[in-house]
Amino acid sequence: PPILLALRGDEIRADRGLLAGIEVGTVLAAVADGAPLDAEPVLELEVVEAGVYDARGRLRSGAVPDGATTLRARVVSRPVSDFSLALALVAPDGSARGTDDLPERVRAFLSAEGGRFRLVARAAEADWSLVVDGQHLHLRAADRIGSHDVLDVAPERLPLVLGRIRRAFGLRRACALFDAPDPSLDVWVERRPRGGAVAVRLAPGDRLVPGDELRVMLHKTGGGIVDANVYYLDASHGIQRLFPRAGGTARLEPKAEAPLEIVSWTPVIDDALGIENLWVLAVPRGPADPVLALQDLSQDPTTTRGLAVESAARGILQELLTEPRTRGIAAAGDEPVRRGSVFQVPLHTDWPPLGPPAWSAGELGRLDSPHPFLAGLPVDFEAGPCWQQSSSPAAAGRRDILLLGSPERPRAVLVDFSSPAAEGTPDAASFDPEAAFLFLDDGRRLSLYDRGDAGRFDLALLDADGDGVAEVRWTRTGAEWILQPAVRVPWLSQSHLQSSVLGPRRELATARFSVLARGSGP
């Protein structure tokens, strides 16, 4: 579809951004209302600021027609992107830091890998900032990227984390650099809302909610053979291969003409929240061609070697989407004989509005003293004298939820991942939670996590404006809470708990946390 330009005074904004290949330096040509898209343009603009989903441009030539509020546009030229990741070194307050402030092994890594991770002087020019906080390292995305912070990155893990970020970001950007997908193929995502049975096709702008289920459908016409590879690029920069599954094949034979379920119903869990992508590579093949399966795209980019690791993202996709007549890497002058398609479906996963459930019918217990897990918190909080135990959708009748509050309403929700018995604990003080969610009178809310199941909370996250993103973090060492302001991490997420706490079925953690989804009850 054409790019739509919104005209507001001197500002011109496009309805596409980085995910559509619209980067800083891209030149767009707009045509008069009603004219075909390839008509003589009435104006050209250059993109000067690009976000994930939209972009801002400045006029290069021509003029905005009188009375026009929107125009259709096409891409005239794109900048030649090197797919390096631009990094700025900053202090926690955003002021600039130098390489001398870095641990020696990090300084050596960035010096050796300058072609992949390019240092820039100003945070405004960076894709990500490396926050140097004493001996602690954090990664903070630019606002236009739309990602959460990556906190507490050990120096020895920085190459792995930066490699994952660069690879996922590069694949997202590179998808849009190729021609329109093959019209004989259609790829879409269907969503089944939490607790529902009716499947609906996901439309642009739709959001997924943890607890939903999704599946991926492909419809192939024309009777050809296609090899399909499906990857999920999650909000934590992981790349997960969804199709083919282990032991399966990527090949779709000529008889596969009906809509095909290539990824069956899969639960959406809350371990990664924010902007995500479904990425599908579909390549036409001949009967004698080997099956094209891209297992290495999901491997650790710092420990694997080979074409998919050492090439820039543009080169990876170009070589995958064109099949030379000779085997191996294409020699100069080889003519591509087949071309595939890249489909990219942008997704956004977020919790709905959150709050404590209401008291259920039945008698409320009375507290003689505050719950021991809620003593010594980094903010003042009084839960109230009332308590009640209940079961989450994951508990199969076990009492894994404790509500605390006033007679009118609960103000704290405590979650026990071990949920030892159907009858629950004999009193509120015996309830042993691994997470708690407190709703303060001033509208702020505090989440607490016992990350190692050590019998006390050691992580606290404060969401001051109720948007689901915490702006302040405390970590506890001994009896002391250590404050870290100016963070950007999910307030409610199982990613704050260790695997030993969560168990093997991550969808159960999502079901436990779903008691906070407003309108639902435990």
Side-chain angles (χ1 to χ4, degrees):
I3 299 162
L4 297 181
L5 304 181
L7 314 172
R8 299 185 184 92
D10 294 333
E11 184 178 74
I12 306 177
R13 297 200 71 89
D15 69 341
R16 310 283 176 82
L18 294 171
L19 292 185
I22 308 300
E23 303 189 26
V24 172
T26 302
V27 177
L28 304 176
V31 298
D33 190 28
L37 200 57
D38 58 356
E40 187 71 19
V42 296
L43 62 85
E44 283 192 355
L45 67 113
E46 180 178 348
V47 173
V48 296
E49 180 183 328
V52 176
Y53 293 117
D54 61 1
R56 181 173 63 86
R58 63 172 177 82
L59 197 64
R60 278 176 36 129
S61 63
V64 176
D66 291 340
T69 57
T70 59
L71 290 173
R72 296 176 304 132
R74 64 179 186 268
V75 174
V76 174
S77 65
R78 302 183 193 272
V80 178
S81 183
D82 62 4
F83 287 91
S84 64
L85 201 68
L87 295 176
L89 306 180
V90 301
D93 63 1
S95 60
R97 283 280 181 96
T99 55
D100 290 344
D101 298 313
L102 296 171
E104 173 58 33
R105 68 188 304 163
V106 174
R107 188 162 59 246
F109 165 73
L110 293 177
S111 175
E113 297 289 346
R116 295 196 300 154
F117 306 105
R118 176 171 47 90
L119 293 180
V120 296
R122 299 173 59 243
E125 301 169 356
D127 299 317
W128 284 77
S129 292
L130 180 57
V131 182
V132 185
D133 184 7
Q135 296 302 308
H136 299 278
L137 299 175
H138 315 296
L139 288 166
R140 178 183 299 160
D143 289 341
R144 67 180 183 277
I145 304 300
S147 292
H148 294 122
D149 294 352
V150 184
L151 301 177
D152 303 320
V153 183
E156 62 271 17
R157 283 187 52 81
L158 186 66
L160 169 63
V161 176
L162 282 176
R164 290 177 61 189
I165 290 172
R166 175 181 171 270
R167 168 174 285 202
F169 189 48
L171 285 174
R172 288 180 172 122
R173 294 164 64 195
C175 279
L177 299 180
F178 296 90
D179 296 334
D182 185 341
S184 69
L185 296 170
D186 187 18
V187 176
W188 68 93
V189 178
E190 292 183 355
R191 170 194 179 197
R192 195 158 59 187
R194 179 169 57 94
V198 178
V200 295
R201 184 165 175 162
L202 208 63
D206 287 352
R207 294 202 172 197
L208 296 171
V209 173
D212 287 351
E213 293 181 298
L214 61 81
R215 68 175 176 178
V216 183
M217 304 293 293
L218 182 144
H219 189 199
K220 175 177 70 71
T221 58
I225 299 173
V226 170
D227 287 351
N229 290 262
V230 183
Y231 285 84
Y232 198 83
L233 282 63
D234 67 37
S236 296
H237 320 290
I239 302 176
Q240 178 187 0
R241 185 162 63 111
L242 298 182
F243 182 86
R245 296 285 190 180
T249 179
R251 179 138 301 175
L252 306 177
E253 298 291 350
K255 63 182 180 180
E257 290 285 333
L260 180 67
E261 182 185 77
I262 56 175
V263 177
S264 57
W265 289 111
T266 302
V268 177
I269 59 178
D270 62 283
D271 60 343
L273 300 171
I275 295 170
E276 306 185 295
N277 294 90
L278 192 79
W279 190 88
V280 183
L281 174 72
V283 180
R285 308 293 276 170
D289 288 336
V291 176
L292 179 60
L294 309 180
Q295 297 95 326
D296 55 350
L297 285 185
S298 58
Q299 291 176 2
D300 177 353
T302 66
T303 59
T304 56
R305 292 293 180 264
L307 178 66
V309 174
E310 299 301 326
S311 299
R314 184 201 301 265
I316 294 173
L317 295 184
Q318 187 67 62
E319 286 153 6
L320 291 175
L321 292 179
T322 58
E323 178 88 4
R325 288 197 175 95
T326 56
R327 297 189 63 181
I329 299 176
D334 280 335
E335 291 291 333
V337 295
R338 297 187 190 92
R339 189 164 181 84
S341 296
V342 170
F343 298 81
Q344 182 168 239
V345 183
L347 306 170
H348 200 129
T349 304
D350 268 325
W351 285 103
L354 300 171
W359 297 119
S360 60
E363 186 178 352
L364 300 180
R366 303 289 293 187
L367 284 169
D368 296 327
S369 59
H371 192 281
F373 268 71
L374 302 185
L377 299 180
V379 300
D380 293 331
F381 177 75
E382 291 289 340
C386 301
W387 67 275
Q388 187 177 71
Q389 282 187 263
S390 192
S391 302
S392 75
R398 294 176 179 267
R399 301 289 185 169
D400 60 343
I401 302 295
L402 175 67
L403 302 178
L404 304 174
S406 66
E408 292 75 29
R409 62 183 179 89
R411 301 182 64 237
V413 181
L414 281 62
V415 183
D416 179 7
F417 279 78
S418 57
S419 53
E423 63 272 14
T425 54
D427 58 78
S430 302
F431 190 86
D432 181 18
E434 284 73 45
F437 306 94
L438 316 182
F439 297 84
L440 283 64
D441 289 336
D442 59 7
R444 297 180 301 162
R445 51 195 189 182
L446 188 75
S447 59
L448 300 156
Y449 298 91
D450 179 4
R451 291 177 290 181
D453 196 15
R456 67 173 187 173
F457 296 126
D458 59 354
L459 173 66
L461 300 171
L462 185 69
D463 177 9
D465 54 9
D467 64 351
V469 178
E471 303 89 7
V472 178
R473 179 181 79 150
W474 291 268
T475 55
R476 181 151 67 175
T477 302
E480 180 185 5
W481 287 101
I482 300 171
L483 170 66
Q484 183 187 356
V487 301
R488 186 169 52 191
V489 294
W491 181 78
L492 172 64
S493 174
Q494 62 179 271
S495 63
H496 301 308
L497 293 170
Q498 295 181 9
S499 298
S500 58
V501 174
L502 295 170
R505 295 183 59 193
R506 300 299 176 85
E507 70 274 12
L508 295 183
T510 298
R512 284 191 166 94
F513 288 163
S514 72
V515 299
L516 293 165
R518 190 160 294 162
S520 67

